[in-house]
Amino acid sequence: MQETGGIPTNGRIRLLDILRGFAIIGTLGTNIWLFADPGATLALLSFQGEGNSIDTWINGFLGIFTSGKFLGLLTIMFGIGLEMKYRKALRVKLPWLRMYIWTMILLGLDGLLHFIFVFEYDVLMSYAFTGIIVAFLVGCRHTTLNWIMAGAAAIHLFGLMLLTIVWIWMFHDEALFAEIMGMFQQTEIVYTTGTYLEQIQYRLSDFWGLRGEAISIIFMNIFLYLFGIRLYRAGAFSNDTNGRNIRKRLMIWGLGLGIPLNLLAFVPGHVFDLSVRYLFAPVLSVGYIGLIAFILERNLFGWLLTRFEMIGKTALSCYVLQNIIGSVLFYNWGLGLAPVDNVYGVIGAWILITIIMMIVAQLFVRLFGIGPLEWVWRKLSSAPFKSLSR
C-alpha cells in the first residue's frame, strides 16, 4: 500500500523519493547552461544579462527558480538521509561513525571520479565532506544542534558578505573583470575545441580552483544538513496531522519569502547576486518541499510524480547519467553542440535528458529496484559490516 506523504508499509517515504527526483531534474536545469555554454559560468550567478531580449528574460526567470534552489534541496535531503541512517544504525546496533564515514569516503571517491572524468562542478565531494562532519554532530542534544546551526549560519553569512564585496568590486574594476572573463573564455576553448584527455587535464590542473564553490558552501551545507535532521525529527514527513501542518507551513513561508527574496537578483548593481544563490535559494528550496507535498497529498499530476519517484530511487545513477549525456551532447569530443546561444535549444536539451532519465530510471527500478551506482554503493558500504549485522 502506498500513501501520500508519510511512511508506507515497506518503510520507505515516498515523498522523499519524489523530492529527490525533483531535485535531480532541477539540478540539471542549472547545469545544462554550463554544458551549453562552458564559458558562461558568471551567468549562473548574475541574471542581469545584456539587453532586454526575450531570451534574456527567460534565462533570468528560469534562474530565479532553479539556480541554487535544487542544490539547497539536495543538501537538505542528504541531511534527512543521514538521520535515517543514524536511526537504523542505532536500531540494528551497528558502529555509527565507522559505518557512515566509510559510506562518505565511498561517496567522495565517486565524486572525485565524476569530477575528473565527467563534470568539474560535481557536488558529491562537498556532500561527502559535510556528511563526515555532521556524523559527529547528529547525536548531540537539540539545544547543542541549534547552537551549531547558528554558528554555521553566522560563519556562512560573514563569508558571503566578504565575497559579495569582492564580487561588486570585480564588476567595477574593468581590468580585473576582463582578466576573469579571459579565464572563462579559456574554459570555453577547452570544452568546445579540446579533446577528452585535454579536458581531463584541465580539470586536474586547476583542481582547487574548480572546487571553489564546493569549498565555500561547506558551512551552508552543515546548516542545511542539520535543518534536514531537525525537520525529520519534528515529524515533517509523517503521515499525520502534525506532518501535514509542518509541510503546509514550509510551503507558505518558503514560497512566500523565497520568491520575493530571489527576485532581488534583478536589482541593479549585482548587490544580491551571490545572496540569491547562497542565501535566499535554500528558502525557496524549503517552499518546494511543502509544494511537492501539497501536490502529492491531493493526488495531482500522479504520472509525473511517479516519474520523479523513479528518478529519486536512482538519484546517484541519474545524477551521473545526466552529466554524461550533457558531455556527449555539448563537448567537442561528443556531438560538439556548444556553445548554444538559443535559450530554447538549451531548454530542449534539458527536457530531452530528463525524458531519458525517466525512461532509464523506470527500467532500473522495475528490473532491479535501484540504480547501478546505488547497487555498487550499497554493496561496498555494507561489506565491512555484514558480520556485525547478523
Side-chain angles (χ1 to χ4, degrees):
M1 176 180 175
Q2 289 244 327
E3 45 67 59
T4 56
I7 302 177
T9 54
N10 65 0
R12 195 175 185 101
I13 301 176
R14 187 179 183 219
L15 174 58
L16 295 182
D17 284 328
I18 293 172
L19 286 169
R20 203 173 290 113
F22 179 61
I24 292 297
I25 294 171
T27 300
L28 174 62
T30 299
N31 291 343
I32 195 69
W33 302 93
L34 296 170
F35 285 114
D37 194 353
T41 307
L42 285 183
L44 289 182
L45 299 173
S46 177
F47 308 138
Q48 298 175 31
E50 297 180 1
N52 245 345
S53 67
I54 294 178
D55 281 17
T56 299
W57 281 103
I58 291 175
N59 190 12
F61 178 80
L62 289 175
I64 289 297
F65 291 96
T66 59
S67 181
K69 286 69 186 176
F70 298 99
L71 176 66
L73 180 55
L74 271 179
T75 310
I76 294 171
M77 301 305 297
F78 264 87
I80 294 169
L82 185 150
E83 170 67 10
M84 295 174 72
K85 287 180 173 62
Y86 176 66
R87 294 189 177 201
K88 181 179 179 181
L90 294 182
R91 189 170 60 249
V92 300
K93 294 181 170 50
L94 287 175
W96 161 246
L97 283 176
R98 278 195 290 153
M99 182 194 71
Y100 195 74
I101 290 174
W102 169 243
T103 63
M104 289 300 98
I105 290 173
L106 292 175
L107 182 66
L109 178 60
D110 188 358
L112 178 62
L113 295 174
H114 182 236
F115 170 88
I116 294 172
F117 296 108
V118 182
F119 190 51
E120 68 264 34
Y121 294 100
D122 167 82
V123 299
L124 299 179
M125 281 188 280
S126 183
Y127 287 154
F129 185 73
T130 306
I132 291 174
I133 295 173
V134 178
F136 288 92
L137 307 175
V138 67
C140 295
R141 295 180 300 176
H142 288 295
T143 52
T144 304
L145 289 182
N146 287 341
W147 279 108
I148 295 171
M149 288 176 69
I155 295 172
H156 177 66
L157 285 172
F158 180 72
L160 185 59
M161 288 172 55
L162 295 180
L163 288 174
T164 298
I165 292 171
V166 175
W167 180 258
I168 296 171
W169 173 47
M170 178 191 73
F171 280 97
H172 286 84
D173 189 316
E174 294 184 3
L176 177 61
F177 186 77
E179 182 179 346
I180 292 174
M181 291 305 297
M183 292 168 56
F184 286 128
Q185 288 171 3
Q186 289 299 317
T187 300
E188 180 174 338
I189 291 172
V190 168
Y191 285 104
T192 57
T193 65
T195 65
Y196 179 63
L197 290 178
E198 287 172 338
Q199 291 170 15
I200 291 176
Q201 183 180 15
Y202 163 73
R203 289 192 284 265
L204 289 173
S205 65
D206 193 21
F207 179 85
W208 293 111
L210 294 172
R211 295 285 74 203
E213 181 182 64
I215 295 169
S216 67
I217 61 174
I218 290 296
F219 286 100
M220 182 183 76
N221 284 354
I222 292 172
F223 176 87
L224 293 177
Y225 263 61
L226 294 175
F227 179 76
I229 291 170
R230 295 303 303 273
L231 272 183
Y232 190 86
R233 291 180 180 179
F237 302 97
S238 299
N239 191 28
D240 55 22
T241 301
N242 176 57
R244 286 188 288 272
N245 287 337
I246 294 174
R247 294 191 291 271
K248 182 178 179 180
R249 290 197 296 271
L250 293 178
M251 180 179 68
I252 293 172
W253 287 102
L255 298 180
L257 291 176
I259 292 175
L261 284 174
N262 281 277
L263 287 172
L264 292 174
F266 292 120
V267 173
H270 304 282
V271 177
F272 295 105
D273 286 355
L274 299 185
S275 294
V276 164
R277 181 168 173 84
Y278 302 113
L279 183 60
F280 305 148
V283 180
L284 195 51
S285 303
V286 170
Y288 288 163
I289 294 174
L291 178 62
I292 294 296
F294 177 86
I295 294 171
L296 179 61
E297 288 163 7
R298 282 153 184 77
N299 294 315
L300 303 173
F301 308 109
W303 181 88
L304 185 61
L305 292 184
T306 300
R307 305 286 78 74
F308 289 172
E309 181 183 7
M310 296 300 105
I311 292 177
K313 289 181 176 180
T314 57
L316 183 60
S317 298
C318 283
Y319 172 66
V320 174
L321 174 65
Q322 70 183 24
N323 293 328
I324 291 174
I325 297 174
S327 301
V328 172
L329 286 177
F330 293 106
Y331 291 165
N332 183 60
W333 58 266
L335 297 181
L337 299 180
V340 178
D341 297 325
N342 188 313
V343 67
Y344 307 105
V346 180
I347 295 172
W350 180 14
I351 295 172
L352 172 64
I353 297 175
T354 297
I355 292 172
I356 294 173
M357 283 197 297
M358 288 179 173
I359 295 171
V360 171
Q362 180 81 12
L363 288 173
F364 276 118
V365 171
R366 286 188 177 256
L367 293 175
F368 309 108
I370 55 175
L373 290 183
E374 283 77 9
W375 183 86
V376 172
W377 191 30
R378 182 178 296 180
K379 289 291 184 183
L380 292 177
S381 61
S382 62
F385 308 98
K386 278 188 176 180
S387 60
L388 297 175
S389 59
R390 289 173 185 170

